[in-house]
């Protein structure tokens, strides 16, 4: 985290954030008849990402806390970029995050006829006109931040002419882009959004809900406040980039007989280090095949992190901790990972799996003998119980848990040394077998039968290291997909002049390890099951698994950089 960032609280803020303060005050003063009604308004032009989770938790959270309601509303005013695939994915994601909108699933397109009628009202009131200027002409007459714009030559058309033209726009008489309907406000306004903003454009595109019924579509800035008002929304929570749009939001509500008076409140969007949060750019990664799809486990989409194994509760906890404020900042992705580890540590069952197996033969263990040893499923959760793990003469351990020439203080296995097998015996290495290249193919050991499970050696000798293992004849083949950050830079969007953000991609963000071995209890686990591979990390079963091959995604490693930062204060 950058030095200038405000500290992030490690638990939910005890005091109310500024939005909840506003809602509190509104309820005390009787504004909105004491009602609280929010909405989460995604545009179905991509999958939701972690940033959206902040907005979902806020909108649904505030409604829940005040006994109000939150709608799911699709802002589907741009048919060229929208798709039912996204509509369905958004529904799944919000549900997964743990929120319900009951039967209040709405679409801006539900209101197209009403919005059209409102537009005719504006024309009749002399507050809107049909402009024949093309996009370039409008851009050049809009002015700049320091200079006012100039009125369109079509601004003073009569009401009748405007009504006629607007109806003919709807009827499909004019070419795409040849005319627009604009509000008539003030071309000299210091706020560019008030300089006769466009209300409707002509676009022949098939809409995923309304089909070819319409060839004119309302602009987002016009549709949004009115959709809010039509749904009786009280607090319309959005991100800071809409602050300058608020005057036009209010203008729409004030100049039309809207059935309610929603209030727009802006908050800072979530930015995360090493994480790209723009649907447009994420779409590019999908289209260019940089990732396998919107739900690639490296993607910051909710579909991606869910497949990766991030529990919804961890994401909600993260959103609680970062809170809601008015000032832009950047959150360290290590905090999210910390929340994920905390949750998985409590809930994920432990299993033993070896990512880089090397065979160990226990010479004094009878060939063909198998015994089952009891292993604790989760030391953090006694209710998780125990399981039986088979033990036999041949086992696998991780190659990294053996050193032929151990450095000082190496407490794992090495020639002549002893190590404890987790939930099992102490073994001693007697020799190693190598192939022609000098690679170790087998480690020979003996075991001390008197040291089963947790019992300490009778002679009181100390064995410091404990390593995990898997019985070779019982092992399940596992493909482990190990992920690293998708981007190598803290701010993936910061790129040298003329370059594209893809220059910041991490070429080593995925490592597939195909020869892993895991204990038999993982056989047939359904996709989405999370677990801790002891000493290795947290993993989640991937839907690519088949009956003969388990595929797992590494959710996070065990090392917690955030916990360390916190401890240092
Ligand atoms: P993107 O910038 O990724 O394309 P968007 O803002 O265009 O996202 P919408 O579908 O319009 O996506 O967003 C739905 C809601 O989620 C909006 O109210 C928006 O303000 C909010 N939102 C989007 N990104 C973030 C973010 N990073 N943090 C908090 N809220 C966000
Ligand atoms: Mg948007």
């Amino acid at each position: 985290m950058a030095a200038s960032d405000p500290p992030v609280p490690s638990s939910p803020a005890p005091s109310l954030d500024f939005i909840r303060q506003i809602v509190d005050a509104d309820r005390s003063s009787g504004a909105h008849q004491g009602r609280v009604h929010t909405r989460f308004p995604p545009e179905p032009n991509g999958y939701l990402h972690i940033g959206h989770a902040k907005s979902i938790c806020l909108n649904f959270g505030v409604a829940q806390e005040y006994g109000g309601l939150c709608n799911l509303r699709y802002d589907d005013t741009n048919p060229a970029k929208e798709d039912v695939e996204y509509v369905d994915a958004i529904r799944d994601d919000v549900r997964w995050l743990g929120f319900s909108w009951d039967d209040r699933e709405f679409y801006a397109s539900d209101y197209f006829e009403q919005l059209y009628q409102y537009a005719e009202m504006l024309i009749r009131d002399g507050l809107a006109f049909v402009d024949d200027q093309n996009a370039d002409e409008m851009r050049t007459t809009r002015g700049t931040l320091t200079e006012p714009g100039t009125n369109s030559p079509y601004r003073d058309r009569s009401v009748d002419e405007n009504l006629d033209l607007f109806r003919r726009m709807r009827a499909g008489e004019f070419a795409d882009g040849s005319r627009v309907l604009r509000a008539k406000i003030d071309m000299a306004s210091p706020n560019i959004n008030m300089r006769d903003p466009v209300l409707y454009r002509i676009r022949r595109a098939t809409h995923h809900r309304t089909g070819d019924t319409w060839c004119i579509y309302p602009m987002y800035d016009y549709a949004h406040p009115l959709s809010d008002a039509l749904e009786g929304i009280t607090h319309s929570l959005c991100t800071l980039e809409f602050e300058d749009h608020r005057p036009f939001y209010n203008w729409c509500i004030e100049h039309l007989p809207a059935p309610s008076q929603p209030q727009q409140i802006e908050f800072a969007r979530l930015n995360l280090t090493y994480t790209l949060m723009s649907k447009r750019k994420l779409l590019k990664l999908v289209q260019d095949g940089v990732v396998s799809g919107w739900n690639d486990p490296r993607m910051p989409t909710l579909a991606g992190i869910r497949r990766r194994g991030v529990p919804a509760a961890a994401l909600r906890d993260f959103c609680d901790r970062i809170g809601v404020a008015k000032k832009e900042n950047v959150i360290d992705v290590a905090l999210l990972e910390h929340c994920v580890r905390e949750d998985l540590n409590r809930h994920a069952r432990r299993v033993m799996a070896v990512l880089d197996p090397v065979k160990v033969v226990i010479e004094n263990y009878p060939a063909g003998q198998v015994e089952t040893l009891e292993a604790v499923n989760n030391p953090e959760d006694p209710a998780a119980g125990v399981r039986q793990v088979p033990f036999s003469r041949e086992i696998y351990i991780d190659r990294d848990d053996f050193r032929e020439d151990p450095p000082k203080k190496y407490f794992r296995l090495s020639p002549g040394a002893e190590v404890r097998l987790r939930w099992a015996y102490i073994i001693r290495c007697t020799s190693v077998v190598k192939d022609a290249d000098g690679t170790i193919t087998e480690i020979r050991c003996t075991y001390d039968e008197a040291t089963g499970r947790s019992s300490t050696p009778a002679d009181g000798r100390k064995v410091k290291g404990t390593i995990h293992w898997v019985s070779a004849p019982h092992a399940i083949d596992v493909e482990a997909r190990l992920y690293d950050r998708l981007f190598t830079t803290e701010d993936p969007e910061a790129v040298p002049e003329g370059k594209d953000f893809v220059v910041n991609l991490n070429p080593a963000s995925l490592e597939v390890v195909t020869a892993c071995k895991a204990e038999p209890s993982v056989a047939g686990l359904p996709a989405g099951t999370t677990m801790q591979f002891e000493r290795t990390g947290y993993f989640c079963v991937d839907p690519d698994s088949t009956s003969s091959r388990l595929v797992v995604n590494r959710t996070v490693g065990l090392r917690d950089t955030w916990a360390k930062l916190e401890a240092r204060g």
Side-chain angles (χ1 to χ4, degrees):
M1 200 157 92
S4 58
D5 288 338
V8 176
S10 59
S11 57
S15 60
L16 293 180
D17 59 59
F18 81 100
I19 288 181
R20 287 167 171 91
Q21 284 175 18
I22 292 173
V23 174
D24 255 11
D26 285 348
R27 282 176 22 113
S28 318
S29 72
H32 310 290
Q33 307 88 45
R35 290 185 309 117
V36 175
H37 199 151
T38 57
R39 84 287 169 267
F40 172 63
E43 181 182 357
N45 62 348
Y47 279 58
L48 299 181
H49 51 59
I50 302 169
H52 292 113
K54 173 174 178 175
S55 176
I56 296 169
C57 289
L58 176 64
N59 278 294
F60 282 93
V62 163
Q64 259 168 20
E65 289 156 35
Y66 291 96
L69 298 170
C70 180
N71 297 353
L72 173 61
R73 175 177 347 115
Y74 293 96
D75 256 320
D76 53 351
T77 53
N78 188 1
K81 296 207 167 138
E82 297 162 3
D83 199 280
V84 276
E85 177 196 348
Y86 301 137
V87 170
D88 294 342
I90 288 169
R91 203 182 281 126
D92 289 348
D93 287 345
V94 179
R95 224 175 253 146
W96 169 73
L97 200 49
F99 297 104
S100 165
W101 53 95
D102 303 316
D103 56 351
R104 293 179 317 283
E105 176 176 309
F106 300 123
Y107 295 79
S109 57
D110 294 342
Y111 315 127
F112 279 174
E113 182 60 37
Q114 178 67 66
L115 297 175
Y116 176 85
Q117 295 303 332
Y118 281 155
E120 285 208 354
M121 282 181 208
L122 290 175
I123 293 174
R124 274 188 230 107
D125 290 342
L127 295 171
F129 68 100
V130 173
D131 195 344
D132 299 0
Q133 293 185 109
N134 62 33
D136 277 343
E137 288 165 334
M138 280 195 287
R139 201 171 307 119
T140 49
T141 53
R142 196 174 48 198
T144 64
L145 285 175
T146 48
E147 286 182 21
T150 46
N151 285 351
S152 163
Y154 303 96
R155 200 174 194 262
D156 295 321
R157 278 178 161 153
S158 70
V159 166
D160 285 344
E161 188 184 1
N162 279 320
L163 267 183
D164 175 60
L165 286 172
F166 187 48
R167 287 175 184 164
R168 288 164 61 195
M169 277 170 64
R170 175 180 184 166
E173 286 188 31
F174 308 123
D176 284 16
S178 62
R179 290 190 160 89
V180 292
L181 183 73
R182 295 177 77 173
K184 200 188 281 188
I185 307 180
D186 179 7
M187 287 305 288
S189 170
N191 184 337
I192 291 184
N193 296 292
M194 296 299 269
R195 293 184 190 168
D196 295 2
V198 173
L199 305 179
Y200 270 88
R201 61 216 190 286
I202 306 172
R203 180 165 298 175
R204 284 172 179 75
T206 303
H207 188 281
H208 57 101
R209 283 177 67 84
T210 58
D212 295 318
T213 307
W214 295 88
C215 65
I216 56 170
Y217 289 97
M219 300 300 288
Y220 175 87
D221 274 354
Y222 171 70
H224 195 76
L226 296 169
S227 303
D228 281 348
L230 289 166
E231 291 175 17
I233 300 304
T234 56
H235 300 84
S236 181
L237 312 178
C238 64
T239 35
L240 278 179
E241 68 269 23
F242 290 104
E243 195 164 20
D244 291 344
H245 299 233
R246 187 175 356 120
F248 182 60
Y249 182 103
N250 291 337
W251 185 93
C252 292
I253 305 288
E254 281 159 21
H255 291 89
L256 284 164
S260 76
Q261 315 288 307
Q263 169 188 4
Q264 175 177 308
I265 307 168
E266 309 85 18
F267 63 94
R269 63 194 289 115
L270 168 60
N271 302 302
L272 264 187
T273 57
Y274 298 99
T275 310
L276 186 69
M277 263 179 320
S278 146
K279 281 187 285 192
R280 191 173 54 77
K281 290 180 180 164
L282 294 174
L283 174 64
K284 184 172 159 53
L285 296 180
V286 174
Q287 284 174 337
D288 293 355
V290 173
V291 294
S292 64
W294 284 99
N295 70 344
D296 186 302
R298 291 167 292 177
M299 288 282 270
T301 52
L302 300 190
I305 65 172
R306 170 163 77 237
R307 182 167 172 195
R308 172 100 169 231
V310 170
L315 189 55
R316 289 195 302 267
D317 175 37
F318 170 73
C319 290
D320 264 0
R321 293 191 197 206
I322 58 174
V324 180
K326 196 98 191 168
K327 192 171 163 292
E328 286 288 354
N329 67 355
V330 182
I331 305 291
D332 191 328
V333 72
L335 175 61
L336 175 60
E337 293 164 355
H338 173 72
C339 294
V340 171
R341 279 189 197 94
E342 265 199 0
D343 186 276
L344 291 175
N345 181 42
R346 278 197 302 272
H347 300 116
R349 64 199 203 99
R350 276 56 169 167
V351 300
M352 292 197 285
V354 173
L355 292 191
D356 184 10
V358 58
K359 189 173 272 185
V360 173
V361 176
I362 302 166
E363 294 167 320
N364 60 340
Y365 196 89
Q369 178 173 314
V370 177
E371 63 186 301
T372 53
L373 304 172
E374 192 173 284
V376 172
N377 283 334
N378 185 350
E380 301 290 322
D381 177 15
V386 295
R387 68 187 184 285
Q388 302 300 320
V389 183
F391 184 81
S392 66
R393 180 180 160 89
E394 296 196 352
I395 63 173
Y396 293 113
I397 65 168
D398 245 308
R399 199 168 277 281
D400 188 49
D401 282 333
F402 180 82
R403 290 276 200 291
E404 217 177 354
D405 294 306
K408 261 205 183 122
K409 299 208 173 157
Y410 184 81
F411 298 124
R412 291 170 275 165
L413 198 60
S414 58
E418 282 190 313
V419 77
R420 161 76 68 183
L421 295 175
R422 181 78 156 148
W423 312 118
Y425 303 99
I426 288 172
I427 55 172
R428 180 189 300 279
C429 171
T430 54
S431 63
V432 296
V433 181
K434 295 181 185 175
D435 64 12
D437 302 332
T439 306
I440 295 171
T441 54
E442 199 175 287
I443 300 167
R444 312 286 295 188
C445 290
T446 55
Y447 85 116
D448 180 350
E449 195 182 348
T451 60
R453 204 170 142 108
S454 54
S455 53
T456 44
D459 58 9
R461 71 186 192 277
K462 291 264 187 307
V463 176
K464 279 201 173 158
T466 299
I467 64 173
H468 58 281
W469 54 276
V470 171
S471 168
H474 303 93
I476 304 284
D477 288 322
V478 174
E479 172 181 319
R481 298 176 181 168
L482 311 181
Y483 303 103
D484 197 350
R485 292 186 168 134
L486 192 50
F487 292 94
T488 52
T489 47
E490 263 195 35
D491 179 1
E493 301 196 59
V495 286
E497 237 342 267
K499 294 272 198 225
D500 191 279
F501 70 94
V502 298
V503 300
N504 292 328
L505 279 165
N506 176 5
S509 58
L510 169 62
E511 181 193 349
V512 180
V513 185
T514 53
C516 310
K517 301 284 184 185
E519 62 168 74
S521 76
V522 304
L525 285 178
T529 307
T530 55
M531 55 205 160
Q532 186 195 92
F533 285 178
E534 292 212 47
R535 302 180 58 234
T536 306
Y538 293 100
F539 288 79
C540 179
V541 179
D542 191 84
D544 285 349
S545 300
T546 63
S547 54
S548 59
R549 183 168 203 80
L550 192 78
V551 178
V552 297
N553 299 308
R554 184 170 65 196
T555 313
V556 276
L558 295 177
R559 216 165 56 94
D560 194 330
T561 49
W562 183 263
K564 269 197 211 145
L565 281 177
E566 250 187 338
R568 246 193 280 143

